[in-house]
Amino acid sequence: MTAESRLKIHTAPTGTGVAALGRTLPDLLYASVAEWGNAVALTDRRSGDWASIGLADFARQSELMALGLVDIGVKRGERVALFMDSDVGFCMADMACLLAGCVDVPIYLTQTDESISYVMGHSGARVLVVSTVAYLRKLGPILGAEPLRTTLRAIILADGGDDADAMASVRAELNHPAALLTFDDLVARGRLVLETKTSADGADGADADSVSLGEQVKSLLSDIQPKDLATIIYTSGTTGVPKGVMLSHENISFNAVTSFSGMTGYRRGPGGEVGLSFLPLTHVFARALYYGFLESGTSISFSTPDTIGDDLRELNPTVFAGVPRVVEKVYARFLERAAVLPKPKRKLFEWALGLARQYRIGEQPTGMYAVKLRLADRLVFSKWREGLGNNVAYIICGGAALSGELANIFAAAGIQILQGYGLTETSPVIAFNRPNLNRAGTVGVPIPEVEVAIAEDGEILTRGPHVMLGYYDAAEKTAEVIDADGWFHTGDIGEFDGDGFLRITDRKKDLFKLSTGKYVMPQPLEHKLAAEALIDQAVVIGVGRKYCTGLIFPSESALRTLAGTYGLPTDNSVDWYFGQPRIRGRFQELVDKSNAGMDHWSTIKRFKLIAQPLTIEGGLLTPTMKVKRSRLAEVFAEEIEGLYVEELS
């Protein structure tokens, strides 16, 4: 019996979507233009004001830019690096690359100079697109060094402006041999190419903007196929150097369209759902969501994590996506605000929250509980929804495991969270909860055409049209994760329940072994702690030790709020509060609460409060907000050792 024959393969239940194969990403755009013609398809802030572009205009601008790329010598299959804000400009640069048959390589704005240089050099990028002059200045030292000074042929500014003198100044400051152009330059080149083509075809004097959408352009560009490489996305990497994940047009188009087809009740087209995106488009989760919105004819606005609170209330979206940390922070904010309410209102909040904690997704409330829940909705939960814009029908959540308790609490408040699961290497969705098939604490059921199995050691395996082409220029690393039978080894540990819902229990590489021989899964406890208003991040420690300890990174704003309720000054240094018995005692209560129900060997016996926040810029978080555990162990080695000075019996 082969190893594969022993696997129990799980697939999508009937009625949970329709597989969409054989399409390129530009196919999604053209189909949407033909079916919907949304006049306010894409919106972002420009000079402080919201500005929109319709599908037809977006398609035409992207086509002209694609022709411009070809005109400056960009060849099919060549790589174009994108160092850009997650906005309409990113979408246009991406679509232009896809139409031109070249491969875009998005780069996180928060990456270190070393990582940026590595990604551009390793991918062999010949063109760089940047959003602003400020970003170009940031990259100046990297671009001026080899190999990029020699290999980079063109630099394109999305927001170059019309000031010729200013552009000349930028060229002089950059002092790079590459051609420096703007989006407008590319569009002008593309228009000239198209007008020349139409004149040659007998349409003398035709205006490029009047040509039938796509027909003339397609004759001038590469014949793109679904299996062609579309993008290389470099994993942020909690360990080692980043790996370039090669995704085809079909990888992503299949994933996006198939996933959206399972969204029961989703209203397609203008006048239907209203989308908001604030996650980085450098990540495939946000990219796939954008393509799904695009194909569905959904209007989408681009926000940022810094302005999301105000933008939710201003734009009133019905659907947006976030990672569990975003949901945890929203919940923590609710708790933080409740802590300073007058006693009667605080008691009301606590009563409503108690009802929400009893709620179970999929179970219809009855009797007196249903009556109380309706009252709590009117008095408390309606305020929660107002904070999210008052119209949210779906929050799509991915990137890590979300507490089942939080999913139930939000559902009780009329806010439906659809948690899913996937990786960059799977384009990204493997499974997700549908509006009509949702179970808290799980990541749902597979999407159509996708196979999922659990290996003997608990690792989640998956196979299907969503699995990457491989790692760029790394055949050995590809062979390490995709076996001879085509199964991609995710590195995550999970299990299916009796009804076919997948539950993620931990990350395989995050599992660690105590000196006693017991294995510890740190994530469940870390997520429970991070859901508390007082705690921004928590990390369980214990590799090779006799017991587990924890590093806890408090939320500064919540900490100062708590201090005020205790009659303590609210303007002291963060470290000062750690020495206050009542503050320390409150953190101990939260640790004890989170320890409850865990295996005794995996509970936190001691903890250390850390004032220094975990940040991407500080090198302790990846761009997707995952903790770099090995780096954290180095930075806080002294604090960790202090937790084990006197071994517990």
Side-chain angles (χ1 to χ4, degrees):
M1 181 182 291
T2 65
E4 181 177 8
S5 66
R6 292 193 296 269
L7 294 175
K8 181 179 180 181
I9 298 175
H10 297 258
T11 56
T14 303
T16 55
V18 179
L21 296 165
R23 302 173 75 178
T24 68
L25 292 168
D27 285 342
L28 306 188
L29 171 62
Y30 288 134
S32 191
V33 170
E35 185 172 3
W36 307 115
N38 191 343
V40 287
L42 302 170
T43 300
D44 63 11
R45 283 192 186 275
R46 299 173 204 173
S47 302
D49 297 321
W50 293 104
S52 300
I53 185 170
L55 276 177
D57 286 343
F58 174 76
R60 176 42 48 103
Q61 294 296 307
S62 299
E63 289 173 328
L64 294 175
M65 285 176 57
L67 292 175
L69 286 172
V70 174
D71 190 55
I72 66 172
V74 181
K75 297 180 176 57
R76 180 186 179 120
E78 285 194 324
R79 272 74 65 203
V80 177
L82 307 180
F83 192 76
M84 306 188 71
D85 292 312
S86 296
D87 56 12
V88 175
F90 183 107
C91 298
M92 198 171 287
D94 168 60
M95 189 58 68
C97 288
L98 299 173
L99 285 163
C102 47
V103 179
D104 60 41
V105 183
I107 299 173
Y108 285 100
L109 297 177
T110 53
Q111 283 186 309
T112 63
D113 288 357
E114 182 181 15
S115 293
I116 294 169
S117 180
Y118 174 82
V119 168
M120 290 186 64
H122 184 262
S123 66
R126 295 292 179 264
V127 176
L128 169 67
V129 185
V130 296
S131 291
T132 66
V133 170
Y135 289 165
L136 187 54
R137 289 192 173 111
K138 169 183 167 60
L139 296 179
I142 300 171
L143 304 181
E146 296 297 344
L148 298 182
R149 182 164 184 82
T150 300
T151 58
L152 203 61
R153 297 199 306 260
I155 299 169
I156 301 165
L157 270 169
D159 185 17
D162 299 324
D163 189 332
D165 290 338
M167 284 300 294
S169 175
V170 171
R171 286 189 178 91
E173 182 180 341
L174 187 62
N175 189 28
H176 194 286
L180 180 62
L181 303 98
T182 66
F183 270 20
D184 288 343
D185 293 334
L186 280 187
V187 168
R189 283 172 174 264
R191 180 174 281 109
L192 182 60
V193 169
L194 191 54
E195 289 175 348
T196 301
K197 168 67 174 174
T198 57
S199 296
D201 288 344
D204 209 12
D207 179 1
D209 292 328
S210 69
V211 178
S212 177
L213 186 65
E215 293 307 313
Q216 294 284 354
V217 173
K218 289 178 182 177
S219 69
L220 292 167
L221 296 173
S222 298
D223 183 19
I224 310 161
Q225 298 299 315
K227 303 291 186 184
D228 287 349
L229 178 60
T231 187
I232 302 175
I233 300 177
Y234 280 77
T235 59
S236 48
T238 54
T239 58
V241 297
K243 298 187 291 290
V245 178
M246 297 188 293
L247 298 177
S248 70
H249 284 259
E250 186 178 61
N251 279 151
I252 306 175
S253 65
F254 155 77
N255 205 277
V257 179
T258 301
S259 296
F260 267 70
S261 74
M263 293 282 287
T264 308
Y266 189 91
R267 300 168 300 166
R268 291 164 60 85
E273 308 302 343
V274 177
L276 183 67
S277 176
F278 61 91
L279 297 176
L281 287 167
T282 41
H283 194 279
V284 71
F285 180 26
R287 284 273 287 285
L289 184 73
Y290 146 64
Y291 293 128
F293 283 145
L294 189 71
E295 192 272 342
S296 299
T298 299
S299 297
I300 176 174
S301 297
F302 294 95
S303 177
T304 70
D306 293 336
T307 62
I308 183 63
D310 291 339
D311 293 345
L312 280 167
R313 290 183 288 274
E314 182 177 352
L315 298 171
N316 300 315
T318 63
V319 55
F320 67 89
V323 294
R325 192 71 197 107
V326 171
V327 176
E328 290 163 358
K329 283 187 173 182
V330 169
Y331 178 63
R333 185 61 176 155
F334 292 155
L335 297 179
E336 186 180 341
R337 287 177 175 173
V340 295
L341 289 173
K343 188 173 182 179
K345 289 188 176 182
R346 188 168 69 251
K347 289 295 183 184
L348 179 63
F349 177 92
E350 292 169 353
W351 169 76
L353 185 57
L355 292 174
R357 285 180 170 142
Q358 299 172 41
Y359 189 86
R360 294 294 177 268
I361 292 174
E363 297 180 10
Q364 186 65 34
T366 59
M368 186 53 66
Y369 176 63
V371 173
K372 291 179 179 178
L373 205 58
R374 285 195 294 272
L375 181 59
D377 186 83
R378 188 165 72 248
L379 298 175
V380 178
F381 300 147
S382 60
K383 307 296 191 299
W384 292 15
R385 293 194 298 274
E386 285 177 12
L388 296 175
N390 217 30
N391 287 332
V392 172
Y394 316 105
I395 298 178
I396 302 169
C397 190
L402 176 72
S403 146
E405 180 185 43
L406 277 187
N408 282 321
I409 287 173
F410 274 81
I415 303 166
Q416 184 169 213
I417 297 176
L418 303 177
Q419 188 178 6
Y421 165 66
L423 300 89
T424 305
E425 290 89 339
T426 58
S427 312
V429 184
I430 295 173
F432 78 103
N433 280 293
R434 317 306 202 262
N436 64 332
L437 197 66
N438 192 358
R439 181 162 298 177
T442 78
V443 292
V445 297
I447 64 174
E449 252 347 91
V450 164
E451 296 178 312
V452 184
I454 306 297
E456 291 182 359
D457 64 356
E459 184 175 10
I460 300 168
L461 313 179
T462 189
R463 182 169 65 180
H466 60 317
V467 175
M468 66 173 178
L469 301 178
Y471 293 122
Y472 181 70
D473 195 28
E476 290 184 2
K477 291 186 182 298
T478 302
E480 290 173 3
V481 296
I482 302 178
D483 65 28
D485 295 315
W487 289 104
F488 172 70
H489 294 240
T490 65
D492 290 310
I493 303 295
E495 60 190 13
F496 280 93
D497 68 15
D499 296 321
F501 287 83
L502 178 61
R503 179 178 289 105
I504 311 299
T505 55
D506 220 301
R507 183 76 180 148
K508 191 173 181 179
K509 65 183 179 183
D510 289 346
L511 291 173
F512 62 81
K513 193 177 185 180
L514 298 172
S515 62
T516 60
K518 295 289 188 180
Y519 280 95
V520 174
M521 294 182 178
Q523 287 191 4
L525 184 49
E526 290 170 350
H527 289 313
K528 289 170 74 174
L529 286 165
E532 300 291 345
L534 263 180
I535 298 174
D536 192 46
Q537 296 275 4
V539 181
V540 177
I541 306 295
V543 179
R545 306 283 190 168
K546 290 171 65 175
Y547 56 89
C548 292
T549 59
L551 298 181
I552 294 178
F553 302 82
S555 163
E556 183 175 344
S557 62
L559 182 63
R560 295 188 187 281
T561 299
L562 178 66
T565 64
Y566 288 163
L568 298 171
T570 59
D571 57 354
N572 283 351
S573 68
V574 172
D575 293 78
W576 182 85
Y577 297 106
F578 298 166
Q580 303 306 303
R582 293 187 70 185
I583 297 286
R584 176 77 187 186
R586 181 55 184 152
F587 279 102
Q588 185 64 63
E589 289 174 6
L590 297 180
V591 170
D592 293 343
K593 173 186 170 184
S594 299
N595 277 338
M598 305 294 295
D599 292 324
H600 69 87
W601 63 83
S602 64
T603 58
I604 291 176
K605 305 298 190 296
R606 293 173 171 173
F607 64 89
K608 176 73 173 177
L609 298 173
I610 306 290
Q612 176 185 335
L614 295 182
T615 64
I616 297 169
E617 294 76 11
L620 295 174
L621 293 180
T622 72
T624 52
M625 304 300 289
K626 295 182 179 68
V627 175
K628 294 185 177 182
R629 292 179 184 269
S630 59
R631 177 63 181 150
L632 180 136
E634 293 174 6
V635 172
F636 298 109
E638 184 177 340
E639 289 83 353
I640 292 170
E641 284 302 318
L643 291 170
Y644 293 96
V645 169
E646 297 177 4
E647 293 285 342
L648 297 178
S649 59

